[in-house]
Structure formats: C-alpha cells, structure tokens
Amino acid sequence: MKKLIDEDPVYLHSYSMGNGFPEVREIIAKSYRDNYKFPASADNVFITSGAAGAIKASINAVVAPDEEIILITPYFAEYYM
C-alpha cells in the first residue's frame, strides 16, 4: 500500500498510449522474434484494452475506406465506419 500511495497518481491512474507502452510492445515483439523467428518490431505490435478496440483495429487494417462490409447485429457502435 505504501508503494502505491507514494506512486505518481498520474502514472498510476492514467491511460496508456493508444497502441500500448513502447516498452511492452518491444517485449512482445522480442518474444515473437525469439520464439517464432518472426521478424516483428515494436511498430508491428498494437495493444488494445479490450475486444472491441482489437476488432475495430483489425477491420481498419484490412478494409479500405470505400469498401463495404456486412456486420451482424448486435455489434458495438464502434465497429460502424
């Protein structure tokens, strides 16, 4: 408790960057390089805080702005482009 009380409240209670902390992304990329021989870098890693954000990022990665996709309802409003 003492350690948490002394922690910077902005650091302790703030959101991470949109795609995750760079240090964490690099650790994940290193794991892929070491374990799977996949040439990943931290720039190839995108961390989300939940499934909705991950699905939205995946949709954006593979669908061009002028393409049409079919969504099955119910879906999160975030998926709608």
Coordinates of all heavy atoms in Angstrom, one line a residue:
M1 N 0.8 -1.2 0.0 CA 0.0 0.0 0.0 C 0.9 1.2 0.0 O 0.6 2.2 -0.7 CB -0.9 0.0 1.2 CG -2.1 -1.0 1.1 SD -3.1 -0.6 -0.3 CE -4.3 0.4 0.4
K2 N 1.9 1.2 0.8 CA 2.8 2.4 0.9 C 3.4 2.7 -0.5 O 3.4 3.9 -0.9 CB 3.9 2.1 1.9 CG 4.9 3.2 2.0 CD 4.4 4.4 2.8 CE 5.5 5.4 3.1 NZ 5.3 6.7 2.4
K3 N 3.8 1.7 -1.2 CA 4.4 1.9 -2.5 C 3.4 2.5 -3.5 O 3.7 3.4 -4.2 CB 4.9 0.6 -3.1 CG 5.5 0.7 -4.4 CD 6.0 -0.6 -5.0 CE 6.5 -0.4 -6.4 NZ 6.8 -1.7 -7.0
L4 N 2.1 2.0 -3.4 CA 1.1 2.6 -4.3 C 0.7 4.0 -3.9 O 0.5 4.9 -4.7 CB -0.2 1.7 -4.2 CG 0.0 0.4 -4.9 CD1 -1.3 -0.4 -4.7 CD2 0.2 0.5 -6.4
I5 N 0.7 4.3 -2.6 CA 0.4 5.7 -2.1 C 1.5 6.6 -2.6 O 1.2 7.8 -3.0 CB 0.3 5.7 -0.6 CG1 -1.0 4.9 -0.2 CG2 0.3 7.1 0.0 CD1 -1.1 4.7 1.3
D6 N 2.7 6.2 -2.6 CA 3.8 7.1 -3.0 C 4.0 7.2 -4.5 O 4.7 8.0 -5.0 CB 5.1 6.6 -2.4 CG 5.2 6.7 -0.9 OD1 4.4 7.5 -0.3 OD2 6.0 6.0 -0.2
E7 N 3.3 6.4 -5.2 CA 3.4 6.4 -6.7 C 2.7 7.6 -7.3 O 1.8 8.2 -6.7 CB 2.6 5.1 -7.3 CG 2.8 5.0 -8.7 CD 4.2 4.5 -9.2 OE1 4.6 3.5 -8.7 OE2 4.8 5.3 -9.9
D8 N 3.3 8.1 -8.4 CA 2.8 9.3 -9.0 C 1.3 9.0 -9.5 O 1.1 8.1 -10.3 CB 3.6 9.6 -10.3 CG 3.1 10.8 -11.1 OD1 2.2 11.5 -10.6 OD2 3.6 10.9 -12.2
P9 N 0.3 9.7 -9.0 CA -1.1 9.4 -9.3 C -1.4 9.5 -10.8 O -2.2 8.7 -11.3 CB -1.9 10.4 -8.5 CG -1.0 11.4 -8.1 CD 0.4 10.8 -8.1
V10 N -0.7 10.4 -11.5 CA -1.0 10.5 -13.0 C -0.5 9.2 -13.6 O -1.2 8.7 -14.5 CB -0.2 11.7 -13.5 CG1 -0.4 11.7 -15.1 CG2 -0.8 13.0 -12.9
Y11 N 0.7 8.7 -13.3 CA 1.2 7.5 -13.9 C 0.3 6.3 -13.5 O 0.0 5.4 -14.3 CB 2.6 7.2 -13.4 CG 3.2 5.9 -13.9 CD1 3.6 5.7 -15.2 CD2 3.2 4.8 -13.0 CE1 4.1 4.5 -15.6 CE2 3.7 3.6 -13.4 CZ 4.1 3.4 -14.7 OH 4.6 2.2 -15.2
L12 N -0.1 6.2 -12.2 CA -0.8 5.1 -11.7 C -2.2 5.0 -12.2 O -2.7 3.9 -12.5 CB -0.9 5.2 -10.1 CG -1.5 4.0 -9.4 CD1 -0.7 2.8 -9.6 CD2 -1.5 4.4 -7.9
H13 N -2.9 6.1 -12.5 CA -4.3 6.1 -12.8 C -4.6 6.6 -14.2 O -5.7 6.9 -14.6 CB -5.1 6.9 -11.8 CG -5.0 6.4 -10.4 ND1 -5.6 5.2 -10.1 CD2 -4.4 6.9 -9.3 CE1 -5.4 5.0 -8.8 NE2 -4.6 6.0 -8.3
S14 N -3.6 6.8 -15.1 CA -3.8 7.3 -16.4 C -3.9 6.2 -17.4 O -3.5 5.1 -17.2 CB -2.7 8.3 -16.8 OG -1.5 7.7 -16.8
Y15 N -4.4 6.5 -18.6 CA -4.4 5.6 -19.7 C -3.1 5.4 -20.3 O -2.3 6.4 -20.3 CB -5.4 6.0 -20.7 CG -6.9 5.9 -20.3 CD1 -7.6 7.0 -19.9 CD2 -7.5 4.7 -20.3 CE1 -8.9 6.9 -19.5 CE2 -8.8 4.6 -19.9 CZ -9.5 5.7 -19.5 OH -10.8 5.6 -19.1
S16 N -2.8 4.3 -20.9 CA -1.6 4.2 -21.7 C -1.8 4.8 -23.1 O -2.9 5.3 -23.4 CB -1.2 2.7 -21.9 OG -2.2 2.1 -22.7
M17 N -0.7 4.9 -23.9 CA -0.9 5.4 -25.2 C -1.8 4.5 -26.0 O -2.0 3.3 -25.6 CB 0.5 5.4 -25.9 CG 1.5 6.3 -25.2 SD 3.2 6.0 -25.6 CE 3.2 6.0 -27.4
G18 N -2.4 5.0 -27.0 CA -3.4 4.3 -27.8 C -3.0 2.9 -28.3 O -3.8 2.0 -28.3
N19 N -1.8 2.7 -28.6 CA -1.3 1.4 -29.1 C -0.4 0.7 -28.1 O 0.2 -0.3 -28.4 CB -0.6 1.6 -30.4 CG 0.6 2.5 -30.3 OD1 0.8 3.2 -29.3 ND2 1.5 2.5 -31.4
G20 N -0.4 1.2 -26.8 CA 0.3 0.5 -25.8 C 1.7 1.1 -25.5 O 2.2 1.9 -26.3
F21 N 2.2 0.8 -24.3 CA 3.5 1.4 -24.0 C 4.6 0.8 -24.9 O 4.6 -0.4 -25.1 CB 3.8 1.0 -22.5 CG 3.0 1.7 -21.5 CD1 2.1 1.1 -20.7 CD2 3.1 3.1 -21.4 CE1 1.3 1.7 -19.8 CE2 2.3 3.8 -20.4 CZ 1.4 3.1 -19.6
P22 N 5.5 1.6 -25.4 CA 6.6 1.2 -26.3 C 7.4 0.0 -25.7 O 7.8 -0.9 -26.4 CB 7.4 2.4 -26.5 CG 6.5 3.5 -26.2 CD 5.6 3.1 -25.2
E23 N 7.7 0.1 -24.4 CA 8.5 -1.0 -23.7 C 7.8 -2.3 -23.8 O 8.4 -3.4 -24.0 CB 8.8 -0.6 -22.3 CG 9.3 0.8 -22.0 CD 8.1 1.8 -21.8 OE1 7.2 1.6 -21.0 OE2 8.2 2.8 -22.5
V24 N 6.5 -2.3 -23.5 CA 5.7 -3.5 -23.6 C 5.6 -4.1 -25.0 O 5.7 -5.3 -25.2 CB 4.3 -3.3 -23.0 CG1 3.5 -4.6 -23.0 CG2 4.4 -2.8 -21.5
R25 N 5.4 -3.2 -25.9 CA 5.3 -3.6 -27.3 C 6.6 -4.3 -27.8 O 6.6 -5.2 -28.5 CB 4.9 -2.4 -28.2 CG 3.5 -2.0 -28.0 CD 3.0 -0.8 -28.8 NE 3.8 -0.4 -29.9 CZ 4.3 0.8 -30.1 NH1 4.2 1.7 -29.2 NH2 5.0 1.0 -31.2
E26 N 7.8 -3.7 -27.3 CA 9.1 -4.3 -27.7 C 9.3 -5.6 -27.1 O 9.8 -6.6 -27.7 CB 10.2 -3.3 -27.3 CG 11.6 -3.9 -27.6 CD 11.8 -4.3 -29.1 OE1 11.3 -3.6 -30.0 OE2 12.4 -5.4 -29.3
I27 N 8.8 -5.8 -25.8 CA 8.9 -7.2 -25.2 C 8.1 -8.2 -26.0 O 8.6 -9.3 -26.2 CB 8.5 -7.1 -23.7 CG1 9.5 -6.2 -22.9 CG2 8.3 -8.4 -23.1 CD1 9.0 -5.9 -21.5
I28 N 6.9 -7.8 -26.4 CA 6.1 -8.7 -27.2 C 6.7 -9.1 -28.5 O 6.8 -10.2 -28.9 CB 4.7 -8.2 -27.3 CG1 4.0 -8.1 -26.0 CG2 3.9 -9.0 -28.3 CD1 2.7 -7.3 -26.0
A29 N 7.2 -8.0 -29.2 CA 7.9 -8.2 -30.5 C 9.1 -9.1 -30.3 O 9.4 -10.0 -31.1 CB 8.3 -6.9 -31.1
K30 N 9.9 -8.9 -29.2 CA 11.1 -9.8 -29.0 C 10.7 -11.2 -28.8 O 11.3 -12.2 -29.2 CB 11.9 -9.3 -27.8 CG 13.1 -10.1 -27.5 CD 13.9 -9.5 -26.3 CE 15.2 -10.2 -26.0 NZ 15.2 -11.6 -26.2
S31 N 9.6 -11.4 -28.1 CA 9.0 -12.8 -27.9 C 8.7 -13.5 -29.2 O 9.1 -14.6 -29.4 CB 7.8 -12.7 -27.0 OG 7.2 -14.0 -26.9
Y32 N 8.1 -12.7 -30.1 CA 7.8 -13.3 -31.4 C 9.1 -13.6 -32.2 O 9.2 -14.6 -32.9 CB 6.9 -12.4 -32.2 CG 5.4 -12.6 -32.0 CD1 4.8 -12.1 -30.9 CD2 4.7 -13.5 -32.8 CE1 3.5 -12.4 -30.6 CE2 3.4 -13.8 -32.5 CZ 2.8 -13.2 -31.4 OH 1.5 -13.5 -31.2
R33 N 10.1 -12.7 -32.1 CA 11.4 -12.9 -32.8 C 12.1 -14.1 -32.2 O 12.5 -15.0 -33.0 CB 12.3 -11.7 -32.7 CG 11.8 -10.5 -33.4 CD 12.9 -9.4 -33.5 NE 13.4 -8.9 -32.2 CZ 12.9 -7.9 -31.5 NH1 11.8 -7.2 -32.0 NH2 13.4 -7.6 -30.4
D34 N 12.1 -14.3 -30.9 CA 12.8 -15.4 -30.3 C 12.1 -16.7 -30.4 O 12.7 -17.7 -30.7 CB 13.1 -15.0 -28.8 CG 14.0 -13.9 -28.6 OD1 14.6 -13.4 -29.5 OD2 14.0 -13.4 -27.4
N35 N 10.8 -16.7 -30.2 CA 10.1 -18.0 -30.1 C 9.6 -18.5 -31.5 O 9.4 -19.7 -31.7 CB 8.9 -17.8 -29.2 CG 9.3 -17.6 -27.7 OD1 10.2 -18.2 -27.3 ND2 8.6 -16.7 -27.0
Y36 N 9.3 -17.6 -32.4 CA 8.7 -18.0 -33.6 C 9.5 -17.6 -34.9 O 9.1 -17.8 -36.0 CB 7.3 -17.3 -33.8 CG 6.4 -17.7 -32.6 CD1 6.0 -16.7 -31.7 CD2 5.9 -19.0 -32.5 CE1 5.2 -17.0 -30.6 CE2 5.1 -19.3 -31.4 CZ 4.7 -18.3 -30.5 OH 3.9 -18.6 -29.4
K37 N 10.7 -16.9 -34.6 CA 11.6 -16.5 -35.7 C 10.8 -15.5 -36.6 O 11.1 -15.5 -37.8 CB 12.2 -17.6 -36.4 CG 12.8 -18.7 -35.6 CD 14.0 -18.1 -34.7 CE 14.6 -19.2 -33.9 NZ 14.8 -18.9 -32.5
F38 N 9.9 -14.8 -36.1 CA 9.1 -13.8 -36.9 C 9.7 -12.5 -36.7 O 9.9 -12.0 -35.6 CB 7.6 -13.8 -36.4 CG 6.7 -12.9 -37.1 CD1 6.2 -13.4 -38.3 CD2 6.4 -11.7 -36.7 CE1 5.4 -12.5 -39.1 CE2 5.6 -10.8 -37.4 CZ 5.0 -11.3 -38.6
P39 N 10.0 -11.8 -37.8 CA 10.8 -10.5 -37.7 C 9.9 -9.3 -37.3 O 9.7 -8.3 -38.0 CB 11.3 -10.3 -39.1 CG 10.3 -11.0 -40.0 CD 9.8 -12.2 -39.2
A40 N 9.4 -9.4 -36.1 CA 8.5 -8.4 -35.5 C 9.3 -7.3 -34.9 O 10.4 -7.5 -34.3 CB 7.5 -8.9 -34.6
S41 N 8.8 -6.1 -34.9 CA 9.3 -4.9 -34.2 C 8.2 -4.3 -33.3 O 7.0 -4.7 -33.5 CB 9.9 -3.9 -35.1 OG 8.9 -3.2 -35.8
A42 N 8.5 -3.5 -32.4 CA 7.5 -2.8 -31.6 C 6.5 -2.1 -32.5 O 5.3 -2.0 -32.1 CB 8.2 -1.9 -30.6
D43 N 6.9 -1.6 -33.6 CA 6.0 -0.9 -34.5 C 5.0 -1.9 -35.1 O 3.9 -1.4 -35.6 CB 6.8 -0.3 -35.7 CG 7.6 0.9 -35.2 OD1 7.3 1.5 -34.1 OD2 8.6 1.2 -35.9
N44 N 5.2 -3.2 -35.1 CA 4.3 -4.2 -35.6 C 3.2 -4.6 -34.5 O 2.4 -5.4 -34.8 CB 5.0 -5.4 -36.1 CG 6.0 -5.2 -37.2 OD1 7.1 -5.5 -37.0 ND2 5.6 -4.5 -38.2
V45 N 3.4 -4.2 -33.3 CA 2.5 -4.6 -32.2 C 1.6 -3.5 -31.8 O 2.0 -2.3 -31.6 CB 3.4 -5.0 -31.0 CG1 2.5 -5.4 -29.8 CG2 4.4 -6.1 -31.3
F46 N 0.3 -3.8 -31.7 CA -0.7 -2.9 -31.3 C -1.5 -3.5 -30.2 O -2.1 -4.5 -30.3 CB -1.7 -2.6 -32.5 CG -2.6 -1.4 -32.3 CD1 -2.2 -0.2 -32.7 CD2 -3.8 -1.6 -31.7 CE1 -3.1 0.9 -32.5 CE2 -4.7 -0.6 -31.5 CZ -4.3 0.7 -31.9
I47 N -1.4 -2.9 -29.0 CA -2.1 -3.4 -27.8 C -3.4 -2.7 -27.6 O -3.5 -1.5 -27.7 CB -1.2 -3.2 -26.6 CG1 0.1 -4.0 -26.8 CG2 -1.9 -3.7 -25.3 CD1 1.1 -3.7 -25.7
T48 N -4.5 -3.4 -27.4 CA -5.8 -2.8 -27.1 C -6.2 -3.2 -25.7 O -5.7 -4.1 -25.1 CB -6.8 -3.3 -28.1 OG1 -7.1 -4.7 -27.8 CG2 -6.4 -3.1 -29.5
S49 N -7.2 -2.4 -25.2 CA -7.6 -2.6 -23.8 C -8.9 -3.5 -23.8 O -9.6 -3.6 -22.8 CB -7.9 -1.3 -23.1 OG -8.8 -0.6 -23.9
G50 N -9.3 -4.1 -25.0 CA -10.4 -4.9 -25.0 C -10.7 -5.4 -26.4 O -10.1 -5.0 -27.4
A51 N -11.7 -6.3 -26.5 CA -12.0 -6.9 -27.8 C -12.6 -5.9 -28.8 O -12.3 -6.0 -30.0 CB -13.0 -8.0 -27.5
A52 N -13.4 -5.0 -28.3 CA -14.0 -4.0 -29.3 C -12.9 -3.2 -30.0 O -13.0 -3.1 -31.2 CB -14.9 -3.1 -28.5
G53 N -11.9 -2.7 -29.3 CA -10.9 -2.0 -29.9 C -10.0 -2.8 -30.8 O -9.6 -2.4 -31.9
A54 N -9.8 -4.1 -30.4 CA -9.0 -5.0 -31.3 C -9.7 -5.3 -32.6 O -9.1 -5.3 -33.6 CB -8.7 -6.3 -30.5
I55 N -11.0 -5.6 -32.5 CA -11.8 -5.9 -33.7 C -11.8 -4.6 -34.6 O -11.7 -4.7 -35.8 CB -13.2 -6.4 -33.3 CG1 -13.1 -7.8 -32.6 CG2 -14.1 -6.5 -34.5 CD1 -14.3 -8.3 -32.0
K56 N -12.1 -3.5 -34.0 CA -12.1 -2.2 -34.8 C -10.7 -2.0 -35.5 O -10.7 -1.7 -36.7 CB -12.4 -1.0 -33.9 CG -12.4 0.3 -34.6 CD -13.4 0.5 -35.6 CE -13.4 1.9 -36.1 NZ -14.3 2.2 -37.2
A57 N -9.6 -2.2 -34.8 CA -8.3 -2.0 -35.4 C -8.1 -3.0 -36.5 O -7.5 -2.7 -37.6 CB -7.2 -2.1 -34.4
S58 N -8.6 -4.3 -36.3 CA -8.4 -5.3 -37.3 C -9.2 -5.0 -38.6 O -8.8 -5.2 -39.7 CB -8.9 -6.7 -36.8 OG -8.1 -7.0 -35.7
I59 N -10.5 -4.5 -38.4 CA -11.3 -4.1 -39.5 C -10.6 -3.0 -40.3 O -10.5 -3.0 -41.5 CB -12.7 -3.7 -39.0 CG1 -13.5 -4.9 -38.5 CG2 -13.5 -3.0 -40.2 CD1 -14.8 -4.6 -37.8
N60 N -10.1 -2.0 -39.6 CA -9.5 -0.9 -40.3 C -8.2 -1.3 -41.0 O -7.8 -0.7 -42.0 CB -9.1 0.2 -39.2 CG -10.3 1.0 -38.8 OD1 -11.4 0.9 -39.4 ND2 -10.1 1.7 -37.7
A61 N -7.6 -2.4 -40.5 CA -6.3 -2.8 -41.2 C -6.6 -3.5 -42.5 O -5.7 -3.5 -43.4 CB -5.6 -3.8 -40.2
V62 N -7.7 -4.1 -42.7 CA -8.0 -4.9 -43.9 C -9.1 -4.4 -44.8 O -9.2 -4.9 -45.9 CB -8.3 -6.4 -43.5 CG1 -7.1 -7.0 -42.8 CG2 -9.6 -6.5 -42.7
V63 N -9.8 -3.4 -44.4 CA -10.9 -2.8 -45.2 C -10.5 -1.4 -45.6 O -10.2 -0.6 -44.8 CB -12.2 -2.8 -44.4 CG1 -13.3 -2.2 -45.2 CG2 -12.6 -4.2 -44.0
A64 N -10.6 -1.2 -46.9 CA -10.3 0.2 -47.5 C -11.5 1.1 -47.2 O -12.7 0.6 -47.0 CB -10.1 0.1 -49.0
P65 N -11.3 2.4 -47.1 CA -12.4 3.3 -46.7 C -13.6 3.2 -47.7 O -14.7 3.4 -47.2 CB -11.7 4.7 -46.8 CG -10.3 4.4 -46.6 CD -10.0 3.1 -47.2
D66 N -13.4 2.9 -48.9 CA -14.6 2.9 -49.8 C -15.2 1.5 -50.0 O -16.1 1.3 -50.7 CB -14.1 3.4 -51.2 CG -13.0 2.6 -51.8 OD1 -12.3 1.9 -51.1 OD2 -12.8 2.6 -53.0
E67 N -14.7 0.5 -49.2 CA -15.3 -0.8 -49.3 C -16.4 -1.0 -48.3 O -16.5 -0.3 -47.3 CB -14.2 -1.9 -48.9 CG -13.1 -2.0 -50.0 CD -12.1 -3.1 -49.6 OE1 -11.7 -3.2 -48.5 OE2 -11.8 -3.9 -50.5
E68 N -17.3 -1.9 -48.7 CA -18.5 -2.2 -47.8 C -18.3 -3.5 -47.1 O -17.8 -4.5 -47.7 CB -19.7 -2.3 -48.7 CG -21.0 -2.4 -47.9 CD -22.2 -2.4 -48.8 OE1 -22.1 -2.4 -50.0 OE2 -23.3 -2.5 -48.3
I69 N -18.7 -3.5 -45.8 CA -18.6 -4.8 -45.1 C -20.0 -5.0 -44.5 O -20.8 -4.1 -44.3 CB -17.5 -4.7 -44.0 CG1 -17.8 -3.6 -42.9 CG2 -16.2 -4.6 -44.6 CD1 -16.9 -3.7 -41.7
I70 N -20.2 -6.2 -44.1 CA -21.5 -6.6 -43.5 C -21.3 -6.9 -42.1 O -20.4 -7.8 -41.7 CB -22.1 -7.8 -44.2 CG1 -22.5 -7.5 -45.7 CG2 -23.4 -8.3 -43.5 CD1 -22.9 -8.7 -46.5
L71 N -22.0 -6.3 -41.2 CA -21.9 -6.5 -39.8 C -23.2 -7.2 -39.3 O -24.3 -6.8 -39.7 CB -21.8 -5.2 -39.0 CG -20.5 -4.4 -39.3 CD1 -20.6 -3.0 -38.6 CD2 -19.3 -5.1 -38.8
I72 N -23.0 -8.2 -38.5 CA -24.1 -8.9 -37.9 C -24.5 -8.3 -36.6 O -23.6 -8.0 -35.8 CB -23.8 -10.4 -37.7 CG1 -23.5 -11.0 -39.1 CG2 -24.9 -11.1 -37.0 CD1 -22.9 -12.4 -39.0
T73 N -25.7 -8.0 -36.4 CA -26.1 -7.3 -35.1 C -26.5 -8.4 -34.1 O -26.8 -9.5 -34.4 CB -27.4 -6.4 -35.4 OG1 -28.4 -7.3 -35.8 CG2 -27.1 -5.3 -36.3
P74 N -26.3 -8.1 -32.8 CA -25.8 -6.8 -32.3 C -24.3 -6.6 -32.5 O -23.6 -7.6 -32.4 CB -26.3 -6.8 -30.9 CG -26.2 -8.2 -30.5 CD -26.6 -9.0 -31.7
Y75 N -23.9 -5.4 -32.6 CA -22.5 -5.1 -32.7 C -22.2 -3.8 -31.9 O -23.1 -3.1 -31.6 CB -21.9 -5.0 -34.1 CG -22.6 -3.9 -34.9 CD1 -22.1 -2.6 -34.9 CD2 -23.7 -4.2 -35.7 CE1 -22.8 -1.6 -35.6 CE2 -24.3 -3.2 -36.4 CZ -23.8 -1.9 -36.4 OH -24.4 -0.9 -37.1
F76 N -21.0 -3.6 -31.5 CA -20.6 -2.4 -30.9 C -20.7 -1.2 -31.9 O -20.2 -1.4 -33.0 CB -19.2 -2.4 -30.3 CG -19.1 -3.3 -29.1 CD1 -18.6 -4.6 -29.1 CD2 -19.6 -2.9 -27.8 CE1 -18.5 -5.4 -28.0 CE2 -19.5 -3.7 -26.7 CZ -19.0 -4.9 -26.8
A77 N -21.2 -0.1 -31.5 CA -21.3 1.0 -32.4 C -19.9 1.4 -32.9 O -19.8 2.0 -34.0 CB -21.9 2.2 -31.6
E78 N -18.9 1.2 -32.2 CA -17.5 1.5 -32.6 C -17.1 0.8 -33.9 O -16.3 1.3 -34.6 CB -16.5 1.0 -31.5 CG -15.1 1.3 -31.7 CD -14.2 0.9 -30.5 OE1 -14.7 0.7 -29.4 OE2 -13.0 0.8 -30.7
Y79 N -17.7 -0.4 -34.2 CA -17.4 -1.1 -35.4 C -17.9 -0.4 -36.7 O -17.4 -0.5 -37.7 CB -17.9 -2.5 -35.4 CG -17.5 -3.4 -34.3 CD1 -18.2 -4.5 -33.9 CD2 -16.4 -3.1 -33.6 CE1 -17.8 -5.3 -32.9 CE2 -16.0 -3.9 -32.5 CZ -16.7 -5.0 -32.2 OH -16.3 -5.8 -31.2
Y80 N -19.0 0.4 -36.5 CA -19.6 1.0 -37.7 C -18.7 2.1 -38.2 O -18.2 3.0 -37.4 CB -20.9 1.6 -37.3 CG -21.7 2.2 -38.5 CD1 -22.3 1.4 -39.4 CD2 -21.8 3.6 -38.7 CE1 -23.0 1.9 -40.5 CE2 -22.4 4.1 -39.8 CZ -23.0 3.3 -40.6 OH -23.7 3.8 -41.7
M81 N -18.4 2.1 -39.5 CA -17.4 3.0 -40.0 C -18.2 4.1 -40.7 O -18.1 4.7 -41.5 CB -16.5 2.4 -41.0 CG -15.6 1.4 -40.3 SD -14.5 0.7 -41.5 CE -14.3 -0.9 -40.8

